[in-house]
Every structure is written in structure tokens, then in C-alpha cells.
Amino acid sequence: MRKLAVLMGIWVYEHAENLPACENDITEMYQLLKATGKYQILKISPDLSKSQVVEELEEFLKLNEEETEIEELFFYYSGHGYHDNVDFHFILKDTEFEKINASSLNNQELDNIVPVIINNNNGTIIDNYPFLYYIKRFDKSNNIENIVLKSNKEFKNCIFMSSSKSNEPSVATERSSVFTNAFVSAVLDRVETDIIYYSDIQNYITDEFNKEKYVQTPYFSMQFDGRAVFTNVTEQLKELASSKTKLLEPIADIEGSLNKKIDRYLSMYRT
């Protein structure tokens, strides 16, 4: 049975602010997943239209005669996100707000693309930044928590991690996002053990974001039988951990510049 991973990051936009950190997010996540040795990995080009993204996903998930089941699907997205009254939208390079349904990939469409024959679990990690030009307010009908509940019903086991709640921005340095850094650091922090569980990752991220007054609160939803395993520890993961400095920059080192960026960001929403 196959274990698949899909990485989608968009950092250049035609109708929204560019997000250079997302390019590094994809690089970090690719290196991490490759080091686990467990996944076939698809990196979706950031330049594709909606129809092209759907075509790539369908082709990648297509079953062949030798492998009749998908045991696990790990989906990671870094880029702009938008919540409307119905669903969460993954904003693509050419997404237009006036054509949001036709030009973005929404969560329900993603669920429909994923084969119903997934045997074990579906893990979704979203590190998203609000669609800057258009998000002004939120209400209870369109929050990320309600949308996740819809996805959970589609799968026997479903793990969902989002970098922030619906009414919060997702903060990044110029290098990469704070949430993705925390996720990668959480894994590399556990390489002296034999098995890394999703609960280990969640606990590390929660502790990290409790240390300082971030403007975001990561959201987690885990519907799983027993403890969900992210990966067994491999020699490649140990080598990756030893080759990197601590990925999450000390807040004291970036606090001044980060606060300025946050203030500029939030000023867009002040009336």
C-alpha cells in the first residue's frame, strides 16, 4: 500500500501580495518528508491553474494494478487562504476574488479528489495567510473549525493542523513561516526516540506558541484510532537534525522586525 505526500506552496500571486516565505516552507517540508523514507512525494508547481492542479492530483493519486490501496495521504499547503460562507479556498497564483470558486481549489473539491479507498489516515497541514485584499471580517458560519468537521466525516482517520484560527493572520519571517518552522523543529527534536507521533508534534507546537505573545493560535483536529504515527525515526532524519541549526528563530532576535511586520499587516484591517 502506498503512502503519499502532496506539497503545494504558492509564493507569487497575480492578484494578492507575494509570500516569499512559502518557497522556503516547501523546501523545508520536502527535506523533512524525504528524510522519513516513507512517502512518494508530489510537489505541485506554484504556477499551475486550478484545472492543472486538479489534473496533477488525480494523476498522482491514481491507483495501478500492483498497488490497490492508499494507506496514507499527507497534504501540506503554504500560501494565501480564504474562508467564505461555504468552504476554505486554497488561493492559487491566478485566483481572482470575483471568480473565487472557478479559480481556487476549495477543501470540498480536495476531499472529492482523494480516493475513498484510503485505508488508514489522511493528514492535512495548512500554513495559510489570509487573502490580504479581501478578508475584512469573519463570522461563526465560515470558520476553519466547522470546515474541518466536514472533512473529518469523509475519512476513517483524519489529522488536521492549521497555523492559525480563522480570524488570525499566520506570521512569517522573511525566511519561512513560524508555524512550519515549529512543525519541522518538532520532528527533529524527537530524533533520539524510535517513533514520532502526531501528538508529539502537536505538543511541541503548542508549547512553542505559548512561550510568546503570538498573534496566531494553531488549530488541531485529530480523529484517529489510537496514537497516530507520523514516522519511525530514520538515519536520514538524524542526519537532517544534526545538519541544521534550530529552525525556529529565537523570538528575542526577531521581535523588533516581526512586531513591525505584524503592525503593518494588521493595519490593513483596521477601520
Side-chain angles (χ1 to χ4, degrees):
M1 292 188 292
R2 296 185 297 168
K3 294 180 174 68
L4 307 179
V6 175
L7 304 180
M8 184 165 71
I10 314 294
W11 50 89
V12 176
Y13 289 88
E14 295 177 4
H15 306 288
E17 183 176 317
N18 292 337
L19 299 171
C22 296
E23 183 175 10
N24 293 325
D25 286 346
I26 292 296
T27 299
E28 297 289 357
M29 289 299 294
Y30 177 78
Q31 291 176 346
L32 182 72
L33 296 182
K34 186 177 180 181
T36 68
K38 65 181 285 192
Y39 292 108
Q40 294 175 244
I41 303 173
L42 169 66
K43 285 202 298 183
I44 295 177
S45 168
D47 298 319
L48 299 186
S49 65
K50 176 178 180 175
S51 61
Q52 292 171 322
V53 169
V54 170
E55 184 178 349
E56 277 214 7
L57 284 170
E58 290 179 336
E59 183 63 29
F60 182 64
L61 297 172
K62 188 181 298 182
L63 302 179
N64 58 46
E65 293 181 358
E66 285 98 23
E67 296 170 311
T68 58
E69 285 188 337
I70 297 173
E71 181 179 3
E72 180 179 343
L73 174 64
F74 181 101
F75 179 85
Y76 171 85
Y77 173 76
S78 180
H80 283 305
Y82 176 72
H83 305 264
D84 59 18
N85 292 324
V86 179
D87 213 337
F88 174 85
H89 297 266
F90 302 94
I91 305 303
L92 306 178
K93 179 179 179 179
D94 62 351
T95 296
E96 299 178 55
F97 182 70
E98 294 80 4
K99 302 176 182 178
I100 189 74
N101 292 292
S103 59
S104 71
L105 179 69
N106 67 51
N107 192 63
Q108 185 58 56
E109 289 171 326
L110 180 62
D111 286 351
N112 291 339
I113 293 169
V114 175
V116 295
I117 52 174
I118 285 183
N119 180 62
N120 194 0
N121 69 85
N122 175 69
T124 301
I125 314 296
I126 297 179
D127 197 343
N128 77 93
Y129 306 79
F131 199 7
L132 298 184
Y133 292 103
Y134 305 113
I135 288 191
K136 298 293 185 184
R137 59 186 294 275
F138 298 86
D139 58 52
K140 294 181 180 179
S141 65
N142 66 1
N143 62 43
I144 194 73
E145 296 84 352
N146 289 341
I147 292 169
V148 170
L149 289 176
K150 297 177 184 177
S151 289
N152 284 355
K153 295 177 181 178
E154 303 292 332
F155 302 100
K156 175 183 176 183
N157 298 306
C158 186
I159 299 160
F160 184 94
M161 296 184 178
S162 178
S163 60
S164 61
K165 293 184 177 180
S166 300
N167 60 344
E168 300 171 335
S170 183
V171 176
T173 67
E174 293 183 2
R175 185 173 66 185
S176 56
S177 76
V178 176
F179 177 82
T180 294
N181 278 344
F183 185 97
V184 175
S185 294
V187 175
L188 299 184
D189 186 63
R190 300 285 297 177
V191 295
E192 298 306 316
T193 63
D194 294 325
I195 300 173
I196 301 172
Y197 296 92
Y198 275 100
S199 58
D200 296 328
I201 299 172
Q202 177 181 345
N203 290 336
Y204 182 101
I205 293 174
T206 300
D207 287 343
E208 193 63 53
F209 279 84
N210 282 341
K211 288 180 182 177
E212 300 289 339
K213 295 182 179 179
Y214 290 96
V215 296
Q216 69 193 86
T217 306
Y219 173 76
F220 307 96
S221 175
M222 294 198 183
Q223 177 181 302
F224 204 89
D225 296 333
R227 294 186 73 188
V229 175
F230 172 66
T231 185
N232 293 322
V233 174
T234 64
E235 289 302 315
Q236 290 82 1
L237 275 175
K238 292 180 180 179
E239 291 172 6
L240 184 63
S242 63
S243 68
K244 288 183 177 291
T245 56
K246 187 171 177 61
L247 292 174
L248 192 64
E249 298 178 64
I251 295 301
D253 295 343
I254 65 172
E255 184 174 10
S257 61
L258 184 57
N259 285 341
K260 290 179 182 178
K261 291 177 184 178
I262 292 170
D263 187 66
R264 287 199 303 269
Y265 184 97
L266 295 179
S267 68
M268 301 180 66
Y269 305 102
R270 297 188 183 116
T271 56

